[in-house]
Amino acid sequence: MATRVFSRQAWGLFAYVLSLMISQSSGLNILVNAMIGKGSHFHLSASISEQLVKRGYNVTYLVSNAFEDRIRNGQYGHMFHLEVFTHPIPVVEVHEMFDNLSQLAFSPPDQRKEFKLVEKLTEARKQDCDTLLNDEKLMSRLRSSNFSAVLYDMTWLCGAIIAEELRIPLFTVCPFPNPCMATKAAGSAFNPSFLPAYTTPFSNRMTFYQRLINNINYIVISIVGKKIAFDRYSNITDRYGKSPVEIFALPKLWLVNSDFVGEYPCALPPNVISVGGLTTRDPRPLPPDLEDFVQGSGHHGVIVCSFGSFLNMTNDHIRAFQSFSRVFGRLPQRFVWQVTGKLSFPIPPNVKTLPWLPINDLLGHPKTKALFYHGGHNTYYEAIYHGVPTLVMPVYGDQKDNAMRSVHLGFGMTISKDFTEDDLYNALRKIINNGSYSERASHLSDIFHDRPMRPAQPIIW
């Protein structure tokens, strides 16, 4: 009798342990929406999603038909499931809309033009959201997939609306600097008297006049930002009995792509987690032809030049490209230069152009001496991670913020897009020859590496 009782108890315990093992090994289904699946916004959330997949979670990306093929054929194509929504306009027009951003690169500063372009982009995203939510087949698939949570990029409110429609928890990724201003809805305290507002070219050490300008900018950005980013979604969010701002404040957890090694100090509430440097990683070997070119630089080393998708080879930029080329040819260093499109003029022998650059691998190479770039937020932390000094020519948006932070922290310089060739030549020489920039970059890199886990790992825990 005792044997039978023990047997039943043993089998009961075994069944209980087995059920725990099954529950632990069966990953939850996570729906990820990184805007429409383009560029740095996608790569940021992909770094998080990669860690989720490694720990057994099932990740499904909601992307647009304009960028579906790029993701399928990229490094994450085998890792994530895809759900695709269709833009209400032709794909060609979607690409043209983003290509128009590059027109801002070397055009004279024009806030009205920037505002109109941002308004056009945000209105297009609102129309995308309408189309997505009205696609019954797609929404039916999303409902039947039994997702446990939505992880979305805070720059597109539609991700939060989808979570509300599916009635599941939501978490958001903030791709910008300035975490306390970005996460005010989560309870962060932002004070413009000592923290610079978005796109304000000041550090946190401001004069009285700069504080006055910063407060005015903060008020304007708050009002205009609400109008552009939120108000147009009112007709959608009304069906849930919430305003767009209330929907925006729903996430349980806010993941900000900022780290205080490269950011101004501010107070974050417990539900805002700093995970700056999500796209950073140790360097991998370069392709043989690129490695040979880099090694051939000798003791002079290499300067990496990358303006991401903001600088394409078009007639609008040909003069700037020619100026870059002439300046690069005057310096003893070799240059690895990202250029999308075919150059219509000869380039110096010390310059290698490629349509895409393995930035982490190049920045982590011992021959790399400096980075000349536009101030993108992901690359900002990649430069800190690898200890590479920077020369920043900001083009648009938060690139101005990152440029000022690199100057304030002492590992970079800025140069105006209205540069002369001598300006660029002297700036590049100073970044290379003044050892204080590389020393400061190396010091920041040491601080950044002094942590028990990589940036994406705390998110998983």
Side-chain angles (χ1 to χ4, degrees), residues 259 261 276-277 280-283 360 363-364 381-388 441-455:
D259 189 283
V261 71
T280 60
R281 60 170 173 76
D282 293 336
N360 265 297
L363 294 180
Y381 280 104
E382 288 162 1
I384 290 176
Y385 181 84
H386 294 290
V388 176
S442 179
H443 179 63
L444 291 172
S445 178
D446 289 341
I447 297 173
F448 190 85
H449 281 271
D450 187 17
R451 63 189 65 211
M453 291 186 286
R454 293 286 301 276

Side-chain angles (χ1 to χ4, degrees), residues 391-408:
L391 176 62
V392 188
M393 185 182 290
V395 174
Y396 171 79
D398 65 339
Q399 296 162 14
K400 302 171 187 176
D401 301 331
N402 293 322
M404 177 50 66
R405 282 158 174 74
S406 67
V407 172
H408 178 75

Side-chain angles (χ1 to χ4, degrees), residues 218-410:
Y218 170 67
I219 294 169
V220 171
I221 289 169
S222 299
I223 295 172
V224 174
K226 179 178 179 296
K227 176 179 173 57
I228 292 178
F230 296 137
D231 289 354
R232 66 183 75 244
Y233 287 91
S234 295
N235 67 323
I236 299 177
T237 61
D238 283 348
R239 73 182 72 167
Y240 307 107
K242 295 182 175 71
S243 69
V245 173
E246 289 174 323
I247 293 284
F248 181 72
L250 286 176
K252 306 296 183 184
L253 189 68
W254 300 63
L255 310 170
V256 292
N257 187 32
S258 295
D259 189 283
F260 288 117
V261 71
E263 183 56 71
Y264 302 126
C266 66
L268 299 176
N271 61 327
V272 176
I273 309 299
S274 176
V275 290
L278 284 168
T279 61
T280 60
R281 60 170 173 76
D282 293 336
R284 298 166 184 161
L286 297 174
D289 60 330
L290 185 55
E291 177 67 27
D292 291 343
F293 179 81
V294 170
Q295 289 292 350
S297 64
H299 69 278
H300 294 296
V302 167
I303 297 175
V304 179
C305 176
S306 172
F307 280 73
S309 59
F310 277 93
L311 205 56
N312 303 320
M313 184 56 222
T314 65
N315 292 332
D316 295 329
H317 302 146
I318 190 167
R319 289 185 180 179
F321 274 68
Q322 289 173 328
S323 295
F324 281 7
S325 182
R326 285 192 289 265
V327 171
F328 294 168
R330 292 166 60 185
L331 290 159
Q333 285 76 26
R334 286 191 170 185
F335 286 80
V336 181
W337 183 11
Q338 180 178 347
V339 178
T340 304
K342 187 177 181 180
L343 291 173
S344 57
F345 52 87
I347 60 173
N350 66 326
V351 176
K352 185 178 183 65
T353 62
L354 294 168
W356 176 82
L357 298 184
I359 291 291
N360 265 297
D361 305 330
L362 281 167
L363 294 180
H365 198 285
K367 290 286 186 181
T368 297
K369 303 298 183 182
L371 169 68
F372 174 39
Y373 82 124
H374 61 302
H377 198 50
N378 289 343
T379 310
Y380 172 75
Y381 280 104
E382 288 162 1
I384 290 176
Y385 181 84
H386 294 290
V388 176
T390 63
L391 176 62
V392 188
M393 185 182 290
V395 174
Y396 171 79
D398 65 339
Q399 296 162 14
K400 302 171 187 176
D401 301 331
N402 293 322
M404 177 50 66
R405 282 158 174 74
S406 67
V407 172
H408 178 75
L409 291 170

Side-chain angles (χ1 to χ4, degrees), residues 24 40 63 148 160 177 185 197-198 200 274 322 329:
Q24 291 295 322
S40 59
V63 299
S148 302
Y198 278 134
T200 304
S274 176
Q322 289 173 328

